[in-house]
Amino acid sequence: MQLSPDKYLKRTTEAAPLAVFRLFFGLMMFASIVRFWLNGWIEKLYIAPKFFFSYYGFEWVKPLGDFTYLLFILCGIAALMVAAGYKYRLAIILFFFSFTYIELMDKTTYLNHYYFISILSLLMIFLPANVYFSIDAWRNPARAFQKIPQWCIDAIKLLLGIVYFYAGLAKINSDWLFEAMPLKIWLPSKYDLPLLGDLMQQEWVHYAFSWSGMLYDLFIPFLLLWKRTRFVAFLMVIVFHVLTRVLFPIGMFPFIMIVSALIFFSPKIHHGILNFISGWFSISKQKFDNLRTYQFFGIKKKISVGILSVFFVIQLLFPWRYLLYPGELFWTEEGFRFSWRVMLMEKAGYAQFKVVNAETGNRFYVNNSDFLTPFQEKQMSFQPDFIIQYAHFLADHFEKDGHENIEIYVENYVALNGRKSTPYIDPEVNLLNFADSFKHKTFILPFEDEIKGL
Amino acid sequence: MIKISKLLLIATLLFAACSTEDDGDNGGGTNGGDNFDRGEMLANWADNIIVPSFVSFQVETQNLEDLARAFAENPGDTELNALSSQYTAAYQEFQTVEMFQIGKAEELNYRRFLNTYPTKTEEIESQIASGSYNLELPSNFAQQGFPALDYLLYGYGSTEETLEVFTANPEYINYIVAVAERINNLTSEVTASWQGDYRDTFVNNTSSSSTGSVDRFTNDYVMYFEKILRSGKIGYPAGAFTGSPSPENVEALYAGEISKDLYLQALDSFEDFFYGVKINGGENGASYFQYLKYLENETDEESITASIAGQFSAIRAQSSELDNNLKSQVQTDNSKMLAAFDELQKEVILLKVDMMQALSISVDYVDSDGD
C-alpha cells in the first residue's frame, strides 16, 4: 500500500454507503425540523424574543418575523429532497444555507450538534450522494452510477472522526478526569431513572463515566475504522448515545450519530439495508446496480478536492485557536465554540447591569427580563461576547429613552463546575469602551483556580 | 451479522421514533440507601410548611372578612379599628404564604390579586363612585387585595376622617367588604386545593425533569426572592431600576409603619423555608439546607450553605438600620434602601447561581436541547 495522493484519489468503492447516509441524514433532518416546530421552539426562540445575540460578523442575520416559519418549511422540504435524492445538488445547497441561517440567527441556541449539521451539509454539497438509489439517478440513467471515488466516503468518516477525537481531547483536563466535573453535578439529579437512579448517586460512577467517556471519544473512530473491532464499536456507539439520550436532554443528536456511524460499515451491509428498503417500497434496486463508476474530471475535480482539503485543514486547526488567547478557556470561552467541546462545563452566572449617567452620577439597574427571555438571560450571564453585545444594546435602548452620557457597568458572578461563584467581569469597567471582536477581552477578571490539561 | 445489524438499526430507529421528550415521568422516586430523598423533602414542604401556613393565613382572612362585615353592619370607630388591626395581622401573615405561587395559587394568579402595589387609587375611587366593578377581572389586579385595603383604611387620614368619607357614601364599605371577601375566597380556594388532591400531586411528582415539583418549586422560590422580595419590597421603592427613588412603590404605603415588618416577615419565612423549619414546631425537616449539605463536599471550608446563611445574617443586620416606615426611609436616606438591595442581591447570586447549580436545576423553563 502506497500512500500516493493520486492513487488514493483514483480508488473507487460502492456508492451504496453514501446513498444510505444521504437517505437517513435527510430523513433525520426533516424529523428534527418537525420536532423543533412541534415543540413550539420557532416561536419561543426566534419570534418571541425582542433582541437576538448575533455572531461576530453575522449581525445581518436576523429572524424574519413570521417568515421564519417559511425558512423552516424551506429547510424541511430541502431535507426531504436530500433524503430522496431529488434535485440533490440544489436541495443540499438549500439545506445548508437555510439551516446555517437558522443557526446564525441567535447564538443563544448554539449547540455543537447544530454546527456539525451545518458543516456536514456543506461537505455534502461536494459529494455525489445522488448517483445511487435516488430519484435523480432513477430519472436520468446517464447520471446513475454504482461506484464512486473512495474519498467521497472517507471524507464523511474523517469528519466524524474529527468530531469524536477532538471531543475526546477536550475531555483531557483535570476537571473532567480528576474531579469528575460536571458529571458529578449532573448525574445525581437523575435519581428517578429506573434501574440507574441509585447508581447515579455513587461517586465511582461519576468517575467511571468521565473516564470511559473520554476513552470512548478518543478511540471510537479507530475502532470503527478497523474491521475486526467494527461491530463491537458500533454496539458501543449505540450504548453510549442511547445512554446520553436517557441522561441528558440532547434531542435528536444521539440518533443522528448512531445512524451516521453506519458509514463505517462495508458496502455489503449498506446493500442489505437498501435491499430491505427496496423490498418495503417495491423499488427495483437492480436498476441502480449498473457497475458504472462516477468520476470527477478536470476543473470539477480540482475544485472539489481543493475545497475539501481546505475544509479539513480548517477543521483540524480551528479548535486549537484557543491557544492564541490568554487565560483559562473554560472561564473566558474565547475559542470555545466550534471546537467539539461538549458536556464539559456546568456554568451559570448572574449579571446585574447598571446604567450610569457619567455627568450626574445618577444610576439604576436593568431588569434583564424586560429585554431577554429567561433562556437568553441564562446564556448571556456567563459569556463575555454576549455581555458586551447586550451592553451596547442597552446603551442604544436607554439613549432612545432620553438618557444621556450613558455608561454601562455589570456586576457579574459566574460559577464553573461546582466552584463557588466569583466576580466575572470587571465591575469598574464601562463596557461601552469595548466593542466585540476576536481580540482578547481584557475586562474579564482572572480565573481564581486552575484547570490543567488541553 | 448483517441480520443483527439490521435489527439493531430498526431498533434504534424505533427507539428514536418512540422515545418520549423531556417531559419526564411522574414515577415515584423510591430512593434507597443514603440517597437524598426528594419525595421526603416535598412532603416536608407540603405537610409541615405550606399547608399549615395557608391554614393559619386562612384563619386571618376569615377574621378579616368577618370584621369587614361587622364594620358594614355597624360602622363605628371601634369596628373600624378592629378591622384595621386585623388588616395588619392578615397582611403580616400573608408574607408567610406569598412565596408559594404554585398549583392553585399559580392558576388563580393568587399573588397578583392579593398584593399588586402600588394600588390604583383613582380607579378604586371611580369604581366606588359608579358602584359597579368585577374584582375577578385581571384588569382589576391593582384595585383589590391588601394594597386596596391599605388605601381605604389608611388613605384618608384619622379614624374620624376615614369614617366621614365612608358614611358619606356607603359604597365605600361595600367595596371594603367585597375586597375582604375576595381575599378570603381566594385563600380558601388555595388552601382547599392543598388540603385536597394537590398535596399528593405535588409530593408525588418527584421527577428530576424541569416539570418535576422540586425543579418547578425551586424556580418559583428563587424567582420570588429576586423579583418579589428584593425588587418589589426594596428595589422599586428605592428606584434601583430607574435611578429615581419612588416612595409610592412601598408595600403598605398608607399604613406606612408596618412596611418594614412585612419585609422582615417575608425574609423570615423565606429563610425558615430554606432550613425546613416546621410551622408547628419540632425538629427541622428536609429542605434546601439539608439537600445542599448532602451534596456538599465535607471538606469544603467555604460551603454554599455557610455562604447563604452568612448572607441571611448580613441582610438582617443591614435591615436594623432601616426605618420602620420604608417610605420615610426612601425619603430621608435612600442610600440605606439601596444598601438593603445590594445585600439582597448578593443572596440572589448565591441562590440562583450557586444553589441551583449544586442542585442541578436549570434556571429557566425552556426545555431546549443541550450539547
Side-chain angles (χ1 to χ4, degrees):
Chain A
M1 272 227 310
Q2 268 193 319
L3 269 175
S4 139
D6 266 352
K7 266 191 186 161
Y8 171 71
L9 288 176
K10 283 190 184 119
R11 208 182 287 169
T12 62
T13 184
E14 295 279 331
L18 190 58
V20 169
F21 187 83
R22 182 208 75 226
L23 176 64
F24 287 140
F25 175 79
L27 288 178
M28 298 200 109
M29 287 306 106
F30 179 72
S32 303
I33 298 285
V34 171
R35 170 176 175 266
F36 204 89
W37 189 313
L38 292 181
N39 279 342
W41 291 346
I42 301 178
E43 162 75 25
K44 205 187 281 184
L45 300 175
Y46 295 119
I47 300 195
K50 297 175 195 148
F51 170 73
F52 297 95
F53 289 99
S54 302
Y55 289 95
Y56 182 65
F58 289 94
E59 291 79 6
W60 49 277
V61 181
K62 293 280 174 213
L64 312 169
D66 285 339
F67 288 104
T68 311
Y69 284 102
L70 211 61
L71 189 62
F72 276 83
I73 291 174
L74 197 71
C75 190
I77 292 174
L80 277 184
M81 285 166 67
V82 168
Y86 175 66
K87 294 196 190 297
Y88 170 76
R89 194 58 52 92
L90 172 73
I92 190 72
I93 290 174
L94 211 59
F95 179 83
F96 166 69
F97 280 107
S98 56
F99 191 90
T100 307
Y101 189 96
I102 290 168
E103 294 323 315
L104 290 175
M105 290 192 302
D106 188 352
K107 65 184 170 191
T108 306
T109 59
Y110 171 80
L111 290 183
N112 287 289
H113 314 156
Y114 295 148
Y115 172 57
F116 172 68
I117 301 296
S118 264
I119 60 169
L120 177 59
S121 58
L122 173 63
L123 170 65
M124 284 171 71
I125 292 175
F126 301 96
L127 303 181
N130 61 331
V131 298
Y132 189 77
F133 208 74
S134 68
I135 294 181
D136 287 346
W138 183 271
R139 299 202 321 172
N140 185 355
R143 281 168 60 191
F145 300 91
Q146 188 186 342
K147 291 172 187 252
I148 53 170
Q150 168 82 40
W151 64 262
C152 296
I153 289 181
D154 289 347
I156 290 177
K157 290 183 192 169
L158 178 57
L159 184 58
L160 283 168
I162 291 174
V163 173
Y164 276 121
F165 191 71
Y166 275 71
L169 287 180
K171 290 185 174 69
I172 304 179
N173 69 71
S174 53
D175 267 19
W176 183 269
L177 296 176
F178 301 120
E179 306 290 334
M181 278 292 180
L183 292 183
K184 199 183 269 176
I185 294 176
W186 290 339
L187 296 181
S189 73
K190 307 295 164 191
Y191 57 85
D192 61 341
L193 280 179
L195 304 175
L196 294 175
D198 285 346
L199 218 51
M200 292 301 136
Q201 310 301 316
Q202 310 294 326
E203 200 167 41
W204 67 266
V205 173
H206 311 154
Y207 282 96
F209 273 41
S210 290
W211 281 83
S212 57
M214 182 268 293
L215 294 172
Y216 168 86
D217 278 343
L218 280 179
F219 292 108
I220 201 72
F222 305 105
L223 298 176
L224 283 167
L225 275 174
W226 196 26
K227 205 175 164 219
R228 293 177 66 177
T229 51
R230 190 173 296 146
F231 185 71
V232 175
F234 189 64
L235 287 181
M236 285 163 62
V237 169
I238 293 178
V239 170
F240 177 83
H241 285 294
V242 168
L243 202 59
T244 58
R245 180 65 181 82
V246 170
L247 290 172
F248 309 110
I250 47 182
M252 296 282 292
F253 184 69
F255 310 118
I256 294 170
M257 288 311 268
I258 290 171
V259 173
S260 297
L262 283 174
I263 192 94
F264 286 93
F265 281 97
S266 71
K268 215 170 111 188
I269 284 172
H270 291 92
H271 279 298
I273 294 169
L274 293 177
N275 272 326
F276 185 77
I277 296 169
S278 303
W280 262 357
F281 293 97
S282 316
I283 300 166
S284 151
K285 179 173 167 292
Q286 289 82 343
K287 186 168 175 182
F288 298 106
D289 294 324
N290 57 14
L291 291 175
R292 297 172 66 214
T293 302
Y294 181 87
Q295 294 284 15
F296 287 82
F297 289 112
I299 188 84
K300 203 174 164 192
K301 178 171 182 175
K302 279 202 178 114
I303 288 177
S304 299
V305 173
I307 287 180
L308 291 191
S309 306
V310 173
F311 173 85
F312 279 112
V313 169
I314 291 174
Q315 284 307 317
L316 287 170
L317 294 179
F318 205 47
W320 299 105
R321 71 190 185 283
Y322 78 96
L323 294 171
L324 302 173
Y325 293 101
E328 170 52 48
L329 170 65
F330 287 7
W331 186 246
T332 66
E333 295 204 35
E334 293 175 314
F336 192 84
R337 287 188 281 257
F338 313 114
S339 307
W340 316 120
R341 299 175 195 284
V342 288
M343 315 219 70
L344 290 176
M345 298 195 300
E346 167 59 45
K347 203 174 176 191
Y350 192 86
Q352 180 85 66
F353 285 83
K354 193 163 66 180
V355 181
V356 177
N357 182 327
E359 294 255 303
T360 64
N362 194 18
R363 61 187 56 200
F364 60 91
Y365 289 112
V366 173
N367 203 348
N368 289 328
S369 54
D370 289 348
F371 307 102
L372 305 178
T373 64
F375 186 39
Q376 287 178 316
E377 184 178 352
K378 175 186 165 188
Q379 296 289 72
M380 175 276 291
S381 62
F382 57 83
Q383 300 187 66
D385 54 335
F386 283 65
I387 287 169
I388 198 78
Q389 202 184 338
Y390 182 53
H392 284 277
F393 164 79
L394 289 174
D396 290 347
H397 172 86
F398 286 109
E399 207 150 77
K400 271 186 212 139
D401 270 10
H403 293 270
E404 287 170 340
N405 311 308
I406 291 179
E407 291 178 345
I408 305 268
Y409 297 85
V410 65
E411 287 157 21
N412 187 197
Y413 283 75
V414 169
L416 172 62
N417 281 349
R419 292 174 180 81
K420 280 205 62 185
S421 60
T422 49
Y424 188 60
I425 302 287
D426 187 344
E428 308 297 328
V429 160
N430 174 13
L431 292 171
L432 299 182
N433 291 338
F434 298 87
D436 195 12
S437 76
F438 289 135
K439 281 192 207 136
H440 171 58
K441 295 178 171 57
T442 51
F443 50 83
I444 305 173
L445 294 170
F447 185 49
E448 286 169 3
D449 201 347
E450 194 186 1
I451 301 173
K452 293 194 178 71
L454 288 175
Chain B
M1 211 158 96
I2 294 173
K3 266 192 188 153
I4 298 174
S5 49
K6 241 196 310 194
L7 216 73
L8 280 172
L9 175 70
I10 292 164
T12 310
L13 289 175
L14 276 178
F15 189 85
C18 305
S19 69
T20 53
E21 295 307 329
D22 313 317
D23 43 13
D25 55 317
N26 292 350
T30 46
N31 292 320
D34 53 9
N35 298 345
F36 190 81
D37 190 341
R38 287 198 186 195
E40 186 195 313
M41 178 167 78
L42 288 170
N44 180 49
W45 286 353
D47 300 338
N48 300 318
I49 304 177
I50 301 177
V51 175
S53 297
F54 271 110
V55 168
S56 28
F57 179 51
Q58 215 214 313
V59 172
E60 302 295 340
T61 62
Q62 185 62 53
N63 264 337
L64 185 69
E65 186 183 339
D66 293 347
L67 288 171
R69 289 189 189 285
F71 174 59
E73 251 170 57
N74 190 5
D77 53 356
T78 323
E79 288 76 10
L80 179 57
N81 285 334
L83 176 59
S84 297
S85 71
Q86 182 55 28
Y87 147 82
T88 306
Y91 209 171
Q92 182 88 11
E93 190 71 25
F94 173 68
Q95 307 296 326
T96 67
V97 299
E98 194 180 14
M99 66 185 132
F100 306 133
Q101 181 84 336
I102 194 168
K104 197 72 179 172
E106 188 180 17
E107 182 193 321
L108 292 175
N109 250 323
Y110 183 66
R111 178 162 60 218
R112 297 185 72 182
F113 276 120
L114 263 64
N115 200 22
T116 297
Y117 58 94
T119 194
K120 292 183 179 163
T121 55
E122 281 173 23
E123 295 192 25
I124 290 176
E125 292 293 347
S126 74
Q127 298 204 125
I128 289 172
S130 72
S132 79
Y133 42 83
N134 179 357
L135 294 182
E136 295 187 6
L137 295 178
S139 58
N140 254 332
F141 278 144
Q143 291 93 293
Q144 60 181 299
F146 289 104
L149 288 183
D150 180 51
Y151 167 67
L152 291 166
L153 297 174
Y154 292 91
Y156 303 112
S158 67
T159 311
E160 290 74 38
E161 287 163 323
T162 308
L163 278 174
E164 220 167 277
V165 174
F166 290 174
T167 42
N169 181 358
E171 219 25 80
Y172 277 98
I173 297 179
N174 292 342
Y175 199 86
I176 289 176
V177 172
V179 170
E181 188 186 356
R182 177 128 177 94
I183 291 175
N184 191 30
N185 285 348
L186 286 167
T187 304
S188 50
E189 214 176 321
V190 174
T191 309
S193 131
W194 274 105
Q195 288 173 324
D197 291 344
Y198 187 69
R199 184 264 174 209
D200 285 346
T201 312
F202 179 76
V203 170
N204 292 337
N205 187 2
T206 54
S207 160
S208 64
S209 73
S210 58
T211 55
S213 289
V214 176
D215 275 43
R216 294 205 39 215
F217 185 85
T218 305
N219 266 287
D220 286 348
Y221 177 74
V222 173
M223 194 279 281
Y224 167 78
F225 190 85
E226 182 185 2
K227 305 277 182 192
I228 307 298
L229 214 161
R230 180 204 63 157
S231 299
K233 297 186 199 300
I234 302 292
Y236 289 126
F241 299 100
T242 56
S244 35
S246 26
E248 68 279 6
N249 284 338
V250 167
E251 190 175 26
L253 177 67
Y254 300 95
E257 292 300 320
I258 63 170
S259 47
K260 180 180 165 186
D261 281 346
L262 297 182
Y263 161 60
L264 288 181
Q265 179 64 60
L267 191 66
D268 282 346
S269 298
F270 185 89
E271 186 180 5
D272 284 351
F273 191 90
F274 177 83
Y275 287 106
V277 176
K278 296 175 180 168
I279 298 296
N280 296 324
E283 204 182 318
N284 290 357
S287 191
Y288 293 115
F289 178 77
Q290 293 77 3
Y291 199 176
L292 287 169
K293 277 277 176 210
Y294 163 75
L295 295 166
E296 240 161 39
N297 215 330
E298 312 243 325
T299 58
D300 219 352
E301 286 170 19
E302 265 294 291
S303 67
I304 297 175
T305 45
S307 304
I308 291 177
Q311 194 53 38
F312 275 129
S313 311
I315 294 168
R316 192 156 290 105
Q318 194 283 332
S319 74
S320 66
E321 294 177 24
L322 297 175
D323 193 290
N324 280 341
N325 186 338
L326 295 182
K327 182 184 168 193
S328 328
Q329 185 63 60
V330 172
Q331 287 166 332
T332 54
D333 183 3
N334 191 44
S335 69
K336 290 204 172 113
M337 285 291 276
L338 288 170
F341 181 86
D342 288 343
E343 293 301 334
L344 291 164
Q345 171 65 16
K346 289 178 197 159
E347 191 78 292
V348 169
I349 291 160
L350 291 167
L351 295 169
K352 203 169 178 178
V353 179
D354 296 81
M355 180 174 96
M356 288 183 75
Q357 180 172 90
L359 301 182
S360 193
I361 293 173
S362 62
V363 173
D364 57 84
Y365 299 126
V366 181
D367 52 347
S368 61
D369 291 339
D371 255 330

